[in-house]
Amino acid sequence: MRPVLVIIIAYLLGSIPFGYLIVRATQGADVRETGSGGTGATNVSRRAGKRAGVITLVLDVLKGAAAVAIAKLFLGLPILGGVRHTGPSLATLGGNNLGEHVLIGHLGSPEDVYWWWVAAASIAVILGHIFPVWLRFRGGKGVATGVGVFLMLAPIAVAIAALVFVVVVTLTRYVSLGSILAAVAIPLFVLLQHEFIRPIESLAPIISAAIAGAALIVFAHRENIGRLIRGTESKFK
């Protein structure tokens, strides 16, 4: 039951609509009626000012990081890296001997199984941000929450992706384009970090989460992509 609980907690954390709540409290308005219609920091800045946008950004990053930290804690994995599992056995988590052998056979070592659950929680928190149950599944783009997730899983890759974001936004003034390109680059940078800088614990689950997270973020930006193609996307001032 613990792995299932981990995913539920991650989704509910992601569903906390900080941007919506901040704009509702300060402006008495629905931030989704502004600009791109999202609940993220950029749209909050347009409606309630840059200070509110920064607060939203920080809180959205923190909920992504918190979801990964809670998942690791529940599963007995070191929160800030490490290789040794100290938590309960798979059977204790609700499995049995047959299920354990099946999982290990398909996903690798017992350690890898726990990392696949962490990867699932990572995807769940991003899903929660994009499709929050509290706002009838209409939320943000998932970028800041994804940053929080991968700061916990592959911080060097996030730092390089952040550089991509800054360069693209500086040159084009399109936050959406910078976000899309940085998100798509994360899986590549995860692989490069693993090969050339510092090995990443259980690479397959982490890079799978990076690919899934990038796909979700691109999907959430589908309207922005349309506006970019038409040349009608709003630039950040």
Side-chain angles (χ1 to χ4, degrees):
M1 287 300 294
R2 285 194 193 186
V4 176
L5 184 59
V6 158
I7 294 173
I8 292 172
I9 290 173
Y11 173 79
L12 292 177
L13 265 176
S15 288
I16 301 174
F18 288 117
Y20 173 87
L21 294 173
I22 288 170
V23 172
R24 178 65 72 182
T26 59
Q27 305 291 312
D30 187 340
V31 68
R32 296 173 300 171
E33 297 173 354
T34 300
S36 66
T39 60
T42 303
N43 219 31
V44 170
S45 296
R46 293 190 181 107
R47 184 69 193 225
K50 290 186 178 180
R51 183 169 178 270
V54 170
I55 294 172
T56 301
L57 175 66
V58 171
L59 291 174
D60 284 345
V61 169
L62 286 176
K63 72 183 182 184
V68 175
I70 291 170
K72 288 185 173 184
L73 183 65
F74 270 54
L75 298 172
L77 294 168
I79 293 177
L80 296 177
V83 298
R84 185 178 299 277
H85 176 262
T86 59
S89 68
L90 285 172
T92 303
L93 292 176
N96 51 44
N97 290 335
L98 176 60
E100 181 172 344
H101 289 308
V102 170
L103 281 171
I104 292 172
H106 283 85
L107 301 180
S109 69
E111 183 86 12
D112 287 334
V113 174
Y114 293 99
W115 280 102
W116 281 107
W117 285 115
V118 171
S122 301
I123 297 167
V125 70
I126 297 173
L127 274 170
H129 181 82
I130 298 173
F131 305 107
V133 64
W134 319 115
L135 297 181
R136 297 184 179 180
F137 307 104
R138 183 185 164 203
K141 310 296 186 183
V143 177
T145 302
V147 168
V149 165
F150 287 97
L151 278 174
M152 297 294 292
L153 299 177
I156 297 173
V158 170
I160 302 172
L163 181 60
V164 171
F165 173 83
V166 170
V167 170
V168 172
V169 174
T170 299
L171 292 176
T172 68
R173 310 309 296 177
Y174 290 126
V175 173
S176 58
L177 182 60
S179 300
I180 292 166
L181 294 179
V184 170
I186 283 279
L188 173 61
F189 293 149
V190 167
L191 184 60
L192 292 176
Q193 174 185 331
H194 180 77
E195 293 293 335
F196 300 108
I197 302 176
R198 189 174 68 190
I200 294 174
E201 180 70 10
S202 295
L203 178 64
I206 303 309
I207 203 164
S208 296
I211 292 170
L216 284 170
I217 289 170
V218 171
F219 176 79
H221 281 86
R222 61 196 182 280
E223 293 181 2
N224 302 81
I225 293 171
R227 289 193 293 269
L228 285 167
I229 293 171
R230 294 190 299 271
T232 57
E233 177 74 333
S234 298
K235 292 188 175 183
F236 187 74
K237 298 178 181 180

